[in-house]
Amino acid sequence: ISPLFVPIMRALTREGLDARVVELNTAAGVAANAARVTSAIREAEKPVWLATYSKGGLDTLEALLAEPDLLSRVAGWFPMQAP
């Protein structure tokens, strides 16, 4: 987990949320990572809040654009320093 997300994970957990990290290969293409993001959203039992950093924002955007039905499972999204 990136040190950037440690305080975010702690804060979410303190608020009683089930915070999880989806490991992505930053060297992989956007389509490959988007598929992983799609799977993680679909596997969640509750609506999700997404926190992304850098290229993770593009990976997530691709997932949401490719499968717009996922939007109903996303409660919110914090993209940080996305290109």
Side-chain angles (χ1 to χ4, degrees):
I1 181 171
S2 167
L4 172 73
F5 285 102
V6 171
I8 294 169
M9 297 289 288
R10 285 185 186 140
L12 294 173
T13 302
R14 273 194 311 271
E15 293 299 318
L17 300 173
D18 180 14
R20 299 178 188 194
V21 174
V22 176
E23 296 288 339
L24 299 177
N25 178 354
T26 58
V30 170
N33 284 339
R36 180 65 191 111
V37 171
T38 297
S39 294
I41 293 171
R42 290 201 188 284
E43 291 167 5
E45 294 178 14
K46 300 177 184 176
V48 299
W49 280 86
L50 303 167
T52 60
Y53 178 74
S54 191
K55 183 178 168 286
L58 294 179
D59 301 331
T60 300
L61 179 61
E62 175 64 22
L64 297 175
L65 290 174
E67 299 199 34
D69 62 303
L70 291 177
L71 289 172
S72 66
R73 303 195 42 79
V74 176
W77 181 16
F78 299 103
M80 295 172 275
Q81 294 186 340

